Amino acid sequence: MGSRHHARERALQILFQYDIHGRPGLWLDRFWTDNEATDEVKAFAERLVAGVLDKKKELDDLIGKYATNWKVSRMPIVDRNILRAGVYELLWMDDVPAKVTVNEAIELAKSFGDDEASKFVNGILDQVLTKEPRLEAKRAEAGAVKREA
């Protein structure tokens, strides 16, 4: 597994803890003590976590818009944080292709979620990518990748 995949796993674990604890504390320092990571992994994970926490309300509003019949607050913690990280990557991490973001989110859902999590995550991220006006460039990029294949 690549270092960014590992970083996404760590970011998901941290975001899960934020959902439970509501704020950083000793658990965050202990997390990095208990979960060794390269500087590259730690930097990407912390970039992703900081971005998700900074944009959390906007991310939740957007996820709620595309998750028909679901309230973000009622989603399983793992699914909701995979979606937050995925939507954050799509919207604010221009260096990550949309296809990579979606594939990574699906893999995280398979690893950390229940049997239906990967389908759920894929469906919502697909809706966001397909319909969100701010993602026109990433849609075009993803379309170019499909045509080349």
Side-chain angles (χ1 to χ4, degrees):
M1 289 288 162
S3 61
R4 283 200 170 178
H5 178 80
H6 189 215
R8 286 181 182 93
E9 288 179 339
R10 295 295 182 240
L12 176 60
Q13 293 166 328
I14 293 169
L15 290 168
F16 185 94
Q17 290 296 321
Y18 267 102
D19 247 8
I20 293 170
H21 297 291
R23 60 188 182 340
L26 294 176
W27 67 265
L28 186 56
D29 293 332
R30 183 147 187 210
F31 177 85
W32 286 118
T33 301
D34 293 345
N35 296 282
E36 290 185 29
T38 64
D39 290 342
E40 180 183 1
V41 165
K42 191 172 178 180
F44 189 82
E46 289 179 345
R47 176 181 167 203
L48 192 52
V49 168
V52 167
L53 295 176
D54 183 52
K55 304 285 188 187
K56 185 177 168 191
K57 179 171 179 2
E58 185 176 350
L59 291 167
D60 286 357
D61 290 346
L62 194 60
I63 292 165
K65 176 180 173 182
Y66 294 107
T68 51
N69 302 321
W70 277 94
K71 289 186 177 187
V72 175
S73 63
R74 302 279 296 155
M75 291 177 184
I77 295 173
V78 170
D79 297 359
R80 139 175 94 226
N81 282 297
I82 292 170
L83 288 167
R84 285 173 177 159
V87 173
Y88 179 80
E89 277 192 37
L90 288 171
L91 287 170
W92 287 285
M93 296 180 84
D94 294 333
D95 60 320
V96 181
K99 183 177 180 173
V100 171
T101 296
V102 173
N103 287 342
E104 285 288 324
I106 292 168
E107 290 305 312
L108 288 172
K110 286 177 181 176
S111 296
F112 292 95
D114 65 19
D115 293 340
E116 296 298 312
S118 62
K119 294 175 192 168
F120 180 69
V121 166
N122 183 38
I124 294 174
L125 288 180
D126 184 60
Q127 289 293 310
V128 172
L129 184 57
T130 302
K131 296 179 180 175
E132 180 56 31
R134 293 178 286 175
L135 291 172
E136 188 175 336
K138 285 217 176 177
R139 273 194 299 278
E141 171 189 292
V145 169
K146 286 181 184 176
R147 284 190 298 275
E148 291 173 7

